[in-house]
Amino acid sequence: MSAPTGDHRRLGDFTTDARVLLIAAIAVVVASAGVIAGIVLLQLIRLATNLAYFGRFSFADIDLGQLSLGPSSVLIPVIGALIIGLMARFGSEKIRGHGIPEAIEAILLGRSRLDAKVAVLKPLSSAISIGSGGPFGAEGPIIMTGGAIGSLIAQALPVSDDERKALLVAGAAAGMTTVFGTPIAAIMLAVELLLFEWRPRSFIPVAVAAIIAEVERTALGMPAILFPFGGEMAPSAAGLGGWISIGIAAGLLSGLLTQLVYACEDGFQKLPIHWMWWPMIGGLVVGLGGLIDSRALGVGYANIASMLNGETIATAAILLLAVKAVIWSVALGSGTSGGVLAPLLIMGGAMGASLSGFLPEATPGFWALLAMAATMGGTMRAPLTATFFAVELTGNTHVLLPLITACAAAHATTVLLMKRSILTEKIARRGHHIVREYRVDPFALTRVSDVMTRAVETVPASMTLHGAASFLTNPKTRHPSFPVVDDEDRVLGLIDPPSVLAWRRAGKHRRTTLRELLEGTKITVVYPDEYLEAVADKLNTANVAHLPVISRSDAKLVGYIGWRDLMAVRAKLRAEEHQRSSFIPLLGRRGPSGLPSREAEL
């Protein structure tokens, strides 16, 4: 094997440098702030619940599902929704919704900048929403709040946009870890949903923040495992069929819930009143739903524990699923503030509990757990996050295989049925398209020698300015630019019509040779073993369409490369993809509607 040459000596697997240690150190501060924000949010929810339903100033934990509610309780969610509408109208509109799409939008489109209003108003509005009976979880709001804290700290420091993004996501991961005690799932959420890259420069600070948050919340005496579960199911053919079946069912439920939420949002958009009043209508539906089944109100953690313990019968599970789905969809569609993770766990778990009698025999609560994770993973298009989230919530590593099977089945179902997830649909409706597929850039895998033109047409350095002008304007000349070479085939520079025109305007004599004109000119060159990623940067920096390729050993011209050669690499990939899709025309490609494309059939 030949020894590495040129760029091969300095190129590594990653581009991260020692500055990541500084960002990681800042992430420690962000994590501590995120822990404080998470604790404050949880306390605010308890306080708001006590004030709303008992009129007392207390931080006692209350299960709304155990309350006997009267007709007057319908007004509680309505009043809470009115307050939220006023906060959104006169405070910040960014507090509307469940928080994660707003965080994604800030990362991709807002240079990872969030203002202080969000850090204050988001947890406050969410506490009012959940405390007044809103069927939401605390995770979306704390992700938004923790992200805002990380962004604010980063904005006060001389960091780049990418470093600010890492700190924003670090705050979000710390907040999620504080609320649920799931640091691994928080890191996976960052990778699958928020970072939009896979680099040590962002992964390391996020991991540091999640780890520090877990250490700090443990030191404060917060529960390590929220929903202990010891059940399991040995792998078998029947079991595998059940895992896949519950995953497919969860995927179908995910699609239904997503469509229901945005159908409600479309309905609110048609109302002839200001959006500030929409949450009140959603609050009315929440209040009425609470009269039917009070277990559907609030975060509903007691429901999760009951289903995992196998204490929820099928009829009760179906009622909970129906009521929770309706009030959650309407309330979320109305633009109130709240999260989606806990509701998805409850609705998925209710479906699993209702279907458990038709599935292979397993430990009580097993099918509910799989359905919880699969519904979350399918709806958010984050199967790894959902898998680790379920493991960390229950402290049970023995269910990893069934969990990843169900989550993968749900993920496959939703990806094939829907173009976008519940998180990205909102962003798409604002006119922005997001691609969540990560892959290596073909420019980073292709060398110059693979695509360069080897038979290069050149002009001699002895050619005069007049000769160059005549040559370039000759109808038989096929290219817009040419390398200028000396007698030893070494490149002195490039000529094109703009450069010739510039020399003529500068008063250069028509008999001046190109050697004289190019003397002292800085030449940008590339080498055969360079990758196209670096070539693209050089073309952009030099502001030219072509560059000469020279040998590293003797600096002689060996080729020529331009933008068209780079684009040919992408065209080749598209052609290969078309060949793959044409193998099974009906299943290979999808049109704008998400259905098989007619073009693929022709």
Side-chain angles (χ1 to χ4, degrees), residues 204-241:
I204 292 172
V206 170
V208 166
I211 294 167
I212 293 297
E214 177 64 16
V215 171
E216 291 183 355
R217 73 182 298 277
T218 302
L220 292 171
M222 300 180 72
I225 300 175
L226 293 185
F227 306 105
F229 176 75
E232 59 181 301
M233 184 180 186
S236 65
L240 177 60

Side-chain angles (χ1 to χ4, degrees), residues 96 163 331 410 504:
R96 303 177 69 210
E163 291 167 339
R504 296 285 291 269

Side-chain angles (χ1 to χ4, degrees), residues 29-42 142 149 174 178 216 220:
V29 179
V30 171
S32 298
V35 170
I36 295 172
I39 294 173
V40 168
L41 174 59
L42 294 176
I142 193 55
I149 292 172
T178 303
E216 291 183 355
L220 292 171

Side-chain angles (χ1 to χ4, degrees), residues 17 36 48 69 106 125 137 163 172 269 309 343 378 392 400 405 414 428 483 493:
D17 55 29
I36 295 172
L69 302 177
S125 64
E163 291 167 339
Q269 293 282 352
N309 291 331
E392 290 183 293
L400 261 173
T405 303
T414 56

Side-chain angles (χ1 to χ4, degrees), residues 432-446:
H432 307 294
H433 174 58
I434 294 176
V435 177
R436 288 180 54 194
E437 293 183 340
Y438 303 158
R439 56 187 178 186
V440 178
D441 190 334
F443 286 2
L445 297 175
T446 308

Side-chain angles (χ1 to χ4, degrees), residues 134-209:
F136 303 112
E139 67 293 324
I142 193 55
I143 285 173
M144 188 70 168
T145 303
I149 292 172
S151 175
L152 289 171
I153 292 175
Q155 289 177 55
L157 300 171
V159 298
S160 68
D161 287 354
D162 285 328
E163 291 167 339
R164 189 184 308 112
K165 175 181 68 174
L167 292 173
L168 184 157
V169 179
M176 180 177 172
T177 300
T178 303
V179 173
F180 291 108
T182 55
I184 308 302
I187 295 171
M188 293 309 304
L189 181 78
V191 172
E192 288 193 296
L193 288 178
L194 298 176
L195 287 175
F196 289 91
E197 66 176 22
W198 180 233
R199 300 187 187 187
R201 69 174 188 183
S202 53
F203 172 78
I204 292 172
V206 170
V208 166

